[in-house]
Amino acid sequence: MTERRAGGAPREISVGIGAGADAVHGVRGKELATEDMVLNIGPQHPSTHGVLRLRLTLDGERISAAEPIVGYMHRGAEKLFEVRDYRQIIVLANRHDWLSAFANELGVVLAVERMLGMEVPVRAVWMRTLLAELNRVLSHLMFLGSYPLELGAITPVFYAFRERETLQAVMEEISGGRMHYMFNRVGGLKEDVPEGWTDRAGRAVADVRRRLPDIEHLIAGNEIFLARTVGVGVLDRETIMQYGVSGPIARASGVDLDLRRDEPYLAYGELPVRVVTRTAGDCHARFEVLLEQVKVSLDLADACLERLRELPQGPVNQRLPKVLKVPEGHTYAWTENPLGINGYYLVSRGEKTPWRMKLRSASYNNVQVLREMLPGHLVSDMVAILGSMFFVVGDIDK
């Protein structure tokens, strides 16, 4: 842009072409322009689900570039794995995604058991499958309640927490924990469930299923919720493949992949796992997939409870030596966690501690795709998109 001084000599000045550039034209023969603004959202902000920082470049109210900056909660869990034995690393592994503690434990013990060539008692296999599905429901309910809250609807979170408390009661009864269950062990589970627990768990599952429509009816036809989510934050299949996005977010864009069906582990090979997908790939589709997956998990939990009632009483773990050493070698175990695919790459040199335990967490890949999704949207839509990505910041930073 050229500006002419009073003396007649021209002077070159540079400005960013922003939203105002096209708004006013022809004023005294010149264009008016605004500079692009860089805005930091976070690292502590109500819309970021935790200590996450987003560096946004704004063209007026529209996002032109976005960069997720992670690492504010980094604890170095993978290095801590290397100085703790195979019993102790479970304590670390269940904490990165604090909504999915049981599922996090599961991936670690499956990797160790594979290296040991260890067979887990049948009763423990079915109990693990049941508890993994109950944990999945607990995780999904948190997002089903918190997402509408971020868009201005406060009521659904009360209903979601009512259902969470119903399931938390049965989880707490067997493990003593509400978030970090520490119930998995290499070779099985800590102990068998108390007498009558399966009946109480069955009633809890039935109560949640019966009351789930309360949450659905509050949100499904809400015109404000639809306006904020339909057609917003569309994620296409090609971008999903490039960034390794998985879980409910990928399935909402038509990616028909679920390890429980496609590469069964635990007892999933004997269960009718229905994979929920949508094709729209927007915020609303992601919410729909999450809601429908709760129903699927409740059905799977019922099937596991029915099988457990048929199984005779027996051991739920293997007897282990006082010092557990894993043979030299390496393996990769992956599980379908509530937020997506978790991978555990274990390398052993025959010692009582892992030489390397690499954790591939679902949230890390899922949050990276924001750099592709956010540009072109308004700042007000950023909150709706962030909430629909269903990530836990500890799962990103590890």
Side-chain angles (χ1 to χ4, degrees):
M1 175 177 177
T2 304
E3 184 182 70
R4 191 169 296 277
R5 295 179 178 178
R11 179 169 66 99
E12 295 289 336
I13 60 174
S14 298
V15 297
I17 303 302
D22 298 327
V24 181
H25 181 70
V27 179
R28 295 180 183 177
K30 295 189 297 183
E31 293 182 356
L32 295 183
T34 60
E35 290 191 24
D36 289 344
M37 179 175 68
V38 176
L39 178 67
N40 281 287
I41 303 292
Q44 290 180 309
H45 190 274
S47 70
T48 59
H49 289 280
V51 191
L52 172 71
R53 179 182 167 203
L54 283 174
R55 180 184 168 92
L56 306 179
T57 304
L58 302 182
D59 181 1
E61 291 186 30
R62 198 167 294 278
I63 300 169
S64 59
E67 179 188 5
I69 302 173
V70 303
Y72 289 91
M73 293 185 68
H74 182 62
R75 296 177 295 115
E78 292 181 1
K79 293 303 291 182
L80 293 175
F81 287 154
E82 297 172 13
V83 293
R84 283 160 174 79
D85 66 34
Y86 289 100
R87 293 180 175 90
Q88 295 170 328
I89 61 174
I90 300 172
V91 180
L92 294 170
N94 68 13
R95 281 164 165 73
H96 56 89
D97 176 1
W98 45 78
L99 297 178
S100 310
F102 188 87
N104 297 339
E105 300 169 8
L106 197 56
V108 173
V109 295
L110 288 176
V112 177
E113 288 162 3
R114 183 179 299 173
M115 291 280 283
L116 290 167
M118 181 179 288
E119 283 288 332
V120 176
V122 175
R123 185 170 177 80
V125 171
W126 283 95
M127 283 175 58
R128 279 178 171 178
T129 311
L130 166 63
L131 296 173
E133 290 307 311
L134 293 180
N135 194 193
R136 192 182 310 275
V137 175
L138 287 170
S139 175
H140 289 354
L141 283 171
M142 175 63 81
F143 289 107
L144 289 173
S146 66
Y147 184 40
L149 181 65
E150 291 165 355
L151 299 182
I154 192 171
T155 308
V157 74
F158 298 125
Y159 286 83
F161 266 80
R162 178 188 64 182
E163 310 315 322
R164 276 178 56 85
E165 285 302 313
T166 301
L167 295 177
Q168 285 282 28
V170 295
M171 295 290 281
E172 187 177 3
E173 182 183 356
I174 61 167
S175 67
R178 290 177 57 83
M179 289 182 68
H180 308 306
Y181 303 110
M182 274 303 295
F183 202 59
N184 273 294
R185 296 290 186 273
V186 175
L189 296 169
K190 176 186 174 185
E191 58 193 5
D192 206 342
V193 296
E195 185 178 353
W197 181 86
T198 52
D199 294 332
R200 291 188 289 276
R203 286 194 296 270
V205 169
D207 288 343
V208 172
R209 180 186 286 105
R210 175 173 50 84
R211 297 190 301 234
L212 193 62
D214 292 347
I215 302 175
E216 193 170 0
H217 294 156
L218 278 171
I219 304 168
N222 186 293
E223 60 184 30
I224 298 176
F225 184 79
L226 293 175
R228 294 293 304 275
T229 58
V230 174
V232 176
V234 176
L235 182 59
D236 61 81
R237 183 186 179 91
E238 182 181 351
T239 307
I240 285 173
M241 296 303 180
Q242 289 174 347
Y243 280 83
V245 176
S246 60
I249 300 170
R251 290 192 282 272
S253 297
V255 178
D256 189 9
L257 173 67
D258 192 314
L259 294 182
R260 294 174 295 173
R261 179 200 64 189
D262 301 327
E263 289 201 20
Y265 56 99
L266 296 181
Y268 289 117
E270 301 180 47
L271 292 170
V273 179
R274 179 168 64 91
V275 179
V276 181
T277 60
R278 294 291 187 274
T279 56
D282 57 9
C283 294
H284 190 260
R286 292 191 279 274
F287 185 85
E288 280 189 329
V289 168
L290 211 65
L291 183 62
E292 193 66 24
Q293 282 192 174
V294 170
K295 301 174 185 177
V296 172
S297 290
L298 292 173
D299 291 341
L300 292 174
D302 267 340
C304 291
L305 284 166
E306 185 178 346
R307 183 62 185 271
L308 282 171
R309 294 187 186 101
E310 298 171 354
L311 289 174
Q313 291 294 325
V316 293
N317 49 42
Q318 293 280 16
R319 191 175 183 87
L320 299 177
K322 187 173 182 180
V323 178
L324 179 63
K325 293 186 177 182
V326 170
E328 188 171 347
H330 60 91
T331 190
Y332 182 76
W334 57 352
T335 59
E336 187 69 46
N337 270 41
L339 299 181
I341 294 175
N342 269 26
Y344 301 84
Y345 180 57
L346 171 62
V347 182
S348 171
R349 290 194 169 175
E351 302 296 331
K352 65 177 183 179
T353 60
W355 184 78
R356 183 78 169 92
M357 172 72 94
K358 169 63 180 173
L359 170 61
R360 187 265 191 214
S361 60
S363 294
Y364 183 82
N365 291 67
N366 292 356
V367 79
Q368 299 303 324
V369 80
L370 288 172
R371 67 180 71 244
E372 303 286 346
M373 295 178 66
L374 290 176
H377 288 87
L378 297 173
V379 175
S380 56
D381 288 331
M382 178 206 67
V383 179
I385 296 170
L386 271 181
S388 74
M389 294 307 287
F390 312 131
F391 57 81
V392 171
V393 179
D395 200 40
I396 299 168
D397 291 345
K398 303 187 283 293

